[in-house]
Amino acid sequence: METADVVVLGAGAAGMFCAIEAGRRSRRVIVLDHARAPGEKIRISGGGRCNFTNLDIAPERFLSANPRFALSCLSRYTARDFLARIEAAGIAWHEKTLGQLFCDGSARQVVDMLLRDMAAAGAELRLQTEIAGLRREDGFVVETSGGPIRTGSVVVATGGKSIPKMGATGLGYRLAEEFGLRLVETRPGLVPLTFSGADLEQLKPLAGVAVPKARVRCGKAGFDEALLFTHRGLSGPAILQISSYWRAGQAISVDLLPGTDLAAELKALRGEIGRSAVATALARFLPERLARSICDELGLAGNLADQTKAALARLAARVQDWQLLPQGSEGYRTAEVTLGGVDTRDLDARTMEARRVPGLFFIGEVVDVTGWLGGYNFQWAWASGWAAGQVA
Ligand code: FDA
């Protein structure tokens, strides 16, 4: 039977990074993936430019049943460490906003860097390989479409459930259960929210309208980022971020003008443009289509000067404290990540090894650690892959 020191399941961000680290320790590493190409999510990430890390990594920017779990990996392998690799590879980069680092050129450069480093470290990549099973037998035996492989360490890096069209499967979760690890319920994260009924009727005609900065809140979480109206509801970074915190049945509140006191602004404008339609005045602050839609909804016809104080207060509340009840999300079809996953209570935070199954590791998105939008999820993939790669 073929043998290896380490078999990595999944040639995504975490799996490839782990393979490089283990290979550099002179371990014989084989990386298996059923896809035709490695790192497909890296390739399409960040609009093709890969938001490969974030300079403001902090544990509270990760969701997990145990938010402290990620700290060990994230503090030992930092955003600066990954940035140093990007620079050493000669990949030009820039900070877009909020600490988010992107390639100037193409995300493909990151995939190529990982492939080069894997080859240099002697790690072998086998694509279009199905994984039929995993059993313990003198170490582990991985059953694959190319035959069985005996190995001392298995690193599960098969990612989450999002975007099944790109090769996502539930394999990692199944393997975790087979080996007795607990799972935290999975659900789509960083995903557009959908609406029904009267809410949808209001939102649909606004599809395509963008608000550069809105404050979206759900429970204690809140984000000030761009918001986008879609045919089925709301999207844009602020909505994707809040979607990870939202649970079915919860309302979200939206302030379309954070940092502005709209009631006071409108009062001041009465003197200046009192004869203008309310919608025209509101369009000084919001996209025109949105301003008109809100005024129509509230029945605010007539001039700004004609409006009662109560009517303007109602308008300000509608703009700055808009309550909405999402009906659902676009689901795994478009979600950027999967929340939940392998329960961190069953993993060693330092090594990512299963506490009760020596030699079995889980890294990346399959684990119950999910970052905010903005490079956090790749940093988790690199950091957890790095940690496992030091010991597997
Ligand atoms: P990943 O999903 O990358 O890799 C898993 C691998 O396992 C895949 O190659 C898959 O084919 C393989 N696999 C799965 N099941 C298998 C099976 N049964 N047999 C064999 N192989 C199997 N994050 C970020 O930080 N910045 C960003 O810009 C973006 N942008 C972005 C855009 C889009 C559209 C998406 C969908 C996601 C992002 N993300 C992101 C999130 C990021 O892509 C994600 O968190 C990481 O890719 C997770 O890395 P993993 O290696 O854990 O899984």
Side-chain angles (χ1 to χ4, degrees), residues 256-326:
L256 292 167
L257 284 172
T260 301
D261 181 346
L262 183 63
E265 294 282 349
L266 290 175
K267 203 170 146 204
L269 276 179
R270 276 176 163 207
E272 199 186 314
I273 53 163
R275 281 160 180 254
S276 300
V278 191
T280 309
L282 188 58
R284 288 197 170 197
F285 305 94
L286 292 175
E288 198 193 337
R289 259 165 78 197
L290 177 57
R292 256 191 288 124
S293 157
I294 293 173
C295 290
D296 288 351
E297 174 199 328
L298 297 180
L300 293 176
N303 293 343
L304 182 59
D306 298 337
Q307 307 304 321
T308 62
K309 225 168 132 185
L312 290 185
R314 232 168 12 108
L315 174 58
R318 167 62 178 75
V319 172
Q320 302 212 263
D321 187 21
W322 183 23
Q323 301 290 323
L324 285 148
L325 191 64

Side-chain angles (χ1 to χ4, degrees), residues 147-222:
I149 308 171
R150 188 187 303 285
T151 179
S153 295
V154 172
V155 181
V156 181
T158 45
K161 296 179 178 173
S162 34
I163 324 227
K165 254 182 23 198
M166 299 202 67
T169 67
L171 178 66
Y173 308 114
R174 276 204 308 280
L175 291 176
E177 278 190 313
E178 275 175 39
F179 282 86
L181 282 81
R182 288 167 285 188
L183 293 181
V184 173
E185 190 194 349
T186 53
R187 59 198 170 90
L190 300 181
V191 63
L193 294 175
T194 56
F195 293 81
S196 59
D199 279 343
L200 182 60
E201 290 316 306
Q202 222 172 48
L203 296 169
K204 226 190 320 189
L206 293 168
V209 171
V211 176
K213 188 157 135 187
R215 178 169 300 158
V216 182
R217 285 207 181 93
C218 182
K220 286 187 187 142

